[in-house]
Amino acid sequence: MLFSETRFEGADPIQAYGKNFFRVGEKKIHGGIFVFSSILMPWQGFSDLLFLQEDISTMEILFIGTGKYHESIPQTLRNALKKNAIVPEIFSTSVACRAYNVTISGYRRAGALLFPILTN
């Protein structure tokens, strides 16, 4: 079987994640992150809504990683996303990273809001 390298045009895949870090492109970031298209920024947790100030008008879907385990998100975040017409998919962080990568490999406009995995 012949394999080819996946190409990601217009967005950087999440290359690695671990205890309190993510590697996206050539950058290693400690703590939570928001990633969409060429935007990569730190994210301080569910009450941090600064990512909504970025140009995310073309985002089709937002994957939210809640840490080691799948958890619900606060209603205030749900309300802010709904107000901005953002469709969230909520997973554990590891599943959200994989879903984000698969989605952008199909040239869809996905974003990810990822809480770090704090324990192994």
Side-chain angles (χ1 to χ4, degrees):
M1 179 178 281
L2 208 51
F3 291 100
S4 61
E5 183 176 331
T6 302
R7 294 202 169 103
F8 300 92
E9 293 183 23
D12 287 326
I14 298 162
Q15 295 174 325
Y17 58 89
K19 187 175 181 182
N20 203 31
F21 83 90
F22 296 92
R23 187 168 38 248
V24 180
E26 299 299 317
K27 297 179 181 170
K28 184 176 182 181
I29 297 129
H30 293 276
I33 63 169
F34 170 69
V35 60
F36 172 67
S37 190
S38 62
I39 302 166
L40 175 61
M41 61 188 284
W43 178 60
Q44 303 302 317
F46 296 123
S47 62
D48 179 2
L49 303 178
L50 290 176
F51 69 95
L52 293 173
Q53 296 175 4
E54 299 294 324
D55 181 11
I56 56 174
S57 59
T58 60
M59 185 186 318
E60 296 175 49
I61 189 166
L62 176 66
F63 295 104
I64 300 177
T66 59
K68 187 173 182 180
Y69 302 104
H70 174 272
E71 298 179 19
S72 61
I73 62 172
Q75 192 62 44
T76 53
L77 178 56
R78 284 186 186 278
N79 293 342
L81 295 174
K82 186 175 183 177
K83 180 181 176 185
N84 287 279
I86 297 171
V87 178
E89 289 289 340
I90 304 160
F91 301 107
S92 67
T93 293
S94 58
V95 174
C97 288
R98 292 190 299 270
Y100 169 80
N101 283 350
V102 167
T103 303
I104 66 169
S105 74
Y107 307 111
R108 291 195 52 214
R109 308 281 296 165
L113 197 59
L114 303 169
F115 197 81
I117 298 171
L118 298 176
T119 59
N120 288 336

